[in-house]
């Protein structure tokens, strides 16, 4: 496990596809070193399409093989199947880690994304919102919005700055959520895009992959 297979040469400039993958891993990526191996995982939840897209991108970007594991109901509060992507390529692990920190409470937007073109920034945001965000329906207001939630305030503040640079009005505020497996309420922050014209612009320039 964690064999140092040669990966495809990586271009100097980021592509939108790789930016999407980096953004998605900021939200749903898991990097670990079990028994000396190098493991990159994507917790895709119920979304098999997202899991298959990650497998495709790891192959397309790096030439790396990965697999989709189905986690059955029964562990903790899990009530349904979950899809988990796994890749054991050491060079993939090291290349991804070279861009920015990952992890629930410490992820950051890569500097190369922050300094990149609008297409690169939109690609990263799309990947992140596909992991830690999505459309929500507010019953009290009978209105739809797009929301992302994270326990990492510093990382989410970077996302807020990028949205401002893209002229996408939004709210950025403190919230709470029920911790994984019901471990109690944790402090978190949310970004929400509320108004119809802003939702339309989000779908137009960022969208969902």
């Amino acid at each position: 496990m964690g064999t140092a297979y040669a990966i495809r040469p990586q271009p100097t400039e980021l592509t939108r596809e790789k930016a999407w993958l980096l953004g998605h891993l900021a939200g749903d990526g898991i990097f670990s070193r079990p028994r000396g191996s190098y493991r990159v995982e994507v917790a895709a939840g119920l979304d098999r399409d997202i899991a298959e897209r990650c497998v495709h991108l790891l192959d397309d970007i790096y030439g790396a093989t990965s697999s989709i594991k189905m986690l059955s109901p029964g562990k903790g509060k899990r009530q349904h199947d979950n899809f988990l992507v796994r890749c054991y390529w050491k060079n993939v692990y090291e290349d991804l880690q070279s861009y920015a920190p990952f992890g629930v409470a410490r992820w950051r937007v890569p500097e190369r994304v922050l300094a990149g073109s609008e297409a690169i920034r939109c690609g990263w945001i799309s990947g992140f919102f596909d992991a830690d965000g999505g459309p929500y329906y507010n019953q009290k207001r009978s209105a739809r919005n797009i929301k992302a939630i994270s326990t990492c305030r510093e990382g989410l503040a970077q996302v807020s700055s990028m949205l401002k640079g893209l002229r996408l009005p939004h709210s950025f505020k403190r919230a709470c959520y029920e911790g994984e497996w019901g471990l109690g309420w944790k402090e978190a922050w949310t970004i929400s895009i509320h108004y119809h014209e802003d939702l339309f612009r989000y779908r137009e320039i960022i969208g969902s992959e």
Side-chain angles (χ1 to χ4, degrees):
M1 291 186 180
T3 306
Y5 297 117
I7 60 175
R8 290 195 175 101
Q10 296 300 292
T12 304
E13 299 296 325
L14 275 178
T15 63
R16 181 178 170 111
E17 289 73 22
K18 189 169 183 178
W20 184 94
L21 183 62
L22 289 165
H24 199 72
L25 288 168
D28 279 348
I30 305 167
F31 291 78
S32 58
R33 295 284 311 280
R35 297 182 297 278
S37 66
Y38 292 78
R39 187 164 70 190
V40 179
E41 296 176 301
V42 184
L46 294 169
D47 200 331
R48 186 177 184 92
D49 289 341
I50 285 287
E52 290 177 348
R53 174 167 172 74
C54 291
V55 168
H56 169 76
L57 287 177
L58 288 167
D59 177 39
D60 190 53
I61 295 168
Y62 294 109
T65 55
S66 55
S67 62
I68 299 175
K69 179 179 177 63
M70 180 180 288
L71 304 179
S72 300
K75 180 180 178 181
K77 293 180 67 179
R78 186 184 297 129
Q79 302 297 318
H80 45 68
D81 294 334
N82 280 255
F83 297 104
L84 183 70
V85 177
R86 282 182 172 169
C87 178
Y88 285 96
W89 284 38
K90 177 175 183 280
N91 288 337
V92 171
Y93 180 105
E94 292 181 339
D95 181 73
L96 291 168
Q97 287 279 331
S98 72
Y99 284 89
F102 292 94
V104 173
R106 58 187 294 270
W107 62 268
R108 297 291 187 274
V109 181
E111 290 296 329
R112 288 175 63 182
V113 170
L114 293 172
S117 67
E118 180 174 300
I120 295 303
R121 285 176 282 137
C122 288
W124 190 98
I125 293 169
S126 176
F128 178 74
F129 271 75
D130 281 347
D132 273 359
Y136 289 84
Y137 182 73
N138 187 319
Q139 292 183 336
K140 291 182 179 179
R141 298 182 178 179
S142 297
R144 298 186 183 278
N145 60 31
I146 294 173
K147 180 187 294 184
I149 185 167
S150 177
T151 58
C152 181
R153 185 186 187 284
E154 292 79 6
L156 210 58
Q158 290 181 307
V159 178
S160 177
S161 294
M162 284 200 292
L163 290 173
K164 289 177 182 176
L166 295 168
R167 302 179 303 284
L168 269 170
H170 60 280
S171 63
F172 176 34
K173 62 184 180 180
R174 184 176 176 273
C176 288
Y177 81 109
E178 190 175 359
E180 188 176 10
W181 313 130
L183 298 179
W185 288 84
K186 297 183 179 180
E187 189 174 51
W189 285 263
T190 63
I191 283 177
S192 297
I193 300 170
H194 300 279
Y195 299 110
H196 177 77
E197 60 271 23
D198 301 325
L199 294 172
F200 180 81
R201 178 167 167 75
Y202 175 91
R203 295 188 185 99
E204 185 179 43
I205 68 171
I206 296 174
S208 175
E209 302 293 332

